[in-house]
Amino acid sequence: MSSIATTRIQRELKDIKESNNQSIKIELKSDEFNNLRGEIVGPSGTPYQDGMYKLSIKIPETYPFNPPIVSFDTRIWHPNISSVTGAICLDILKDQWAAALTLRTVLLSLQALLSAAEPDDPQDAVVAKQYKDNQKAFVKTARFWAQYYANAPGPRDTDCVEKLRKASEMGFYKDISLQALSTHSWDLENAIQYLTSC
Amino acid sequence: MSEEDSRSSEDETSEDEDINDYYNNNEDDFIDNSDVERGQDGEEIMTSDYYSSNEYIRKRMQELEYYDYQCLTGTEVEEKLAKDTETTAELLNISPPLAQLVLLANKWKITAINTRLKLSPVERGKLLVESGVIAVLPSHFKHRTEHKKLSLKSAVSCGVCFDVFPVSDVTSLSCKHMFCRQCWTQHIDFTVKEGMNAGIPCMENDCSVLCPIDFVEQFLKGDSARLYRDHLFRISVTTHYRCRFCPGVDCPVVLFAETPKPRRVTCKRCKMSCCFECGNEYHVPTDCETIKKWLVKCADDSETANYISANTKDCPACHICIEKNGGCNHIQCSKCKHNFCWMCLGDWKAHGNSYYECSKYKENPTMTNSSQQTQAREALKKYLFYFHRWENHSQSLRLESNARLKIQSQIEEKMNRSEGTWIDWQYLLRAGELLAKCRNTLHYTYPLAYYAGGGSEKALFEYQQAQLEVEIEGLAWKLEHAGEYQRGEVENQMDVCEKRTQTLLARFVAN
């Protein structure tokens, strides 16, 4: 790892600790500076409110002249983030990266992305379609995922809990059932048909 | 209409009259040219040799497809680019490296830049901002400009490595975003090695200012510097509206045309040719956009579509696509369990008994044509119809490209048998050349026909296309059986072919 990348990561970690921002966190995964773990809190006023989202951050050899590789470890229902792999579609992590950007600005941008999705530039086409066509189902699903995967507080939607229970009673894994139900906007019959066909 | 245009249209009419004369003098009226006025009878006395000579064919082709372009070497292009840069620098009153940024952002269209400048005094600033010469809002980086006011001894922190440097060790572009020299070097080096397709930007977030050549070169040495020059040249040529790299593999020639148009350009060095506008194979009468759409469609669809068409049918009850996997023609749909016959798509019930009606041809099959799947299949049929013709002609073109050698050996054979002299048989080679040219045009009429709307326009086009096809196949036949036809017959056929091609092209060229 180049010296410039190492020194910069060290400084960035120090800056984040000093900044005292409770909603973002970055720590080393091991002694290496190229593998970090991040955490952001879901912004208030969104379905992700108070969820704890873990991120994996890989620092390339050429950092900061090339962007860090960031993905969600915690599963999330969002048009610009893959609901399966956690891959993120965000311009500053691709061609709009600038060397003067930092990990802190990246995490803040991710929080901003959670507040304002861009369904016209989707990473997950299924989620983006639901976001545009069936906003109610989208909010319901995103909130349930936040509670289910990201430990967001609050009472869970009884309809979701009930349908998820029914699907898993039929012998399907919970994660797969939840994915199928979410994809079919909580239409139990369609989701079961989908699950049996694959 | 520009002067040039009016001149070329005059040429066309006079040429038409010449052709008319030719037919009348020879008393050949296989082409109906009653709508063309007769004129200047016998004023020009030409032997029929002239009309079949290369010169004559070229002259007539020039009418419609003549295109003025040059094949330039790298150095010649660089001279032109340098001249353009100088002119723009004077025009905008900035240094040549900055003028180069403006040109790169504006496809090197100096006239367009000039017209914009004349619009209003604000345009100059806007142009410079859009081209990445200056930043958008000077107020945006106020806090950084303050650093500059500090004395030379004071320290500045670099926004990338976060280290603190004396003012003499940091530098910036016109946007005044200060970074240390080491970071600039690495940033520029990485960007150059990655291909720098969009130029080298400032390292600050949301800053659109680009590094001009003089700024970049102070940080580069050796291989990187050479690579940078190469990239810059490549980007200049690809963005330049009057330039196109020769499509030949590893050919350094740059094709240059004063007025860019979708016309055939051929590299003088490697003989590869392409359309100047889009770089694809020359594609009259189809326009660049349509041919692009068509080629993408062919690349995406043709194999799958062919397979679907050849090996599958839709279930008559639920319209799901079924692939037959065994010999039996009694099919049970795996989705809706409908029993039907693969041959006639009728209900299988009618097939079980002694009265087997499947082998009888029925005039009107009672299939419903309204469902979505049927429509999709119809669309597929339409596409395949055009695609197969397109493929067929491209195959013919491939086969006929070998024909030149064959004709040459035929000519030698004939000369050995003392059947005429070398010069007597040259018309065969000309016919081969013309055939290739006309067939290429016909080949490219199919994508156009596929995307064409309905109406009389299309009917006319299809009529012209059919006429051309008949004549081209006639020429191909006569050329393949050259021994059985008189020279006059072949030459007449050549002339008709050419005339039909010209008729079809006339509209395209006019657009």
Side-chain angles (χ1 to χ4, degrees), chain B residues 383-395:
Chain B
Y383 164 66
L384 282 177
F385 176 89
Y386 288 107
F387 178 75
H388 283 147
R389 275 151 189 78
W390 156 270
E391 257 304 290
N392 195 27
H393 282 296
S394 73
Q395 194 190 6

Side-chain angles (χ1 to χ4, degrees), chain B residues 131-170:
Chain B
S131 312
V133 175
I134 53 173
V136 191
L137 293 166
S139 58
H140 188 67
F141 44 80
K142 225 177 190 171
H143 65 284
R144 287 199 184 268
T145 42
E146 277 163 14
H147 285 309
K148 224 195 156 191
K149 287 174 196 156
L150 299 170
S151 74
L152 279 172
K153 279 174 196 160
S154 57
V156 177
S157 99
C158 164
V160 170
C161 62
F162 296 172
D163 276 337
V164 179
F165 294 90
V167 171
S168 57
D169 280 359
V170 295

Side-chain angles (χ1 to χ4, degrees), chain A residues 8 11 62 66 98-101, chain B residues 160 162-163 183 190 194 203 205:
Chain A
R8 233 193 81 153
R11 295 218 177 175
T62 50
N66 283 99
L101 285 167
Chain B
V160 170
F162 296 172
D163 276 337
C183 285
F190 283 136
E194 276 170 18
M203 289 189 277
N205 181 30

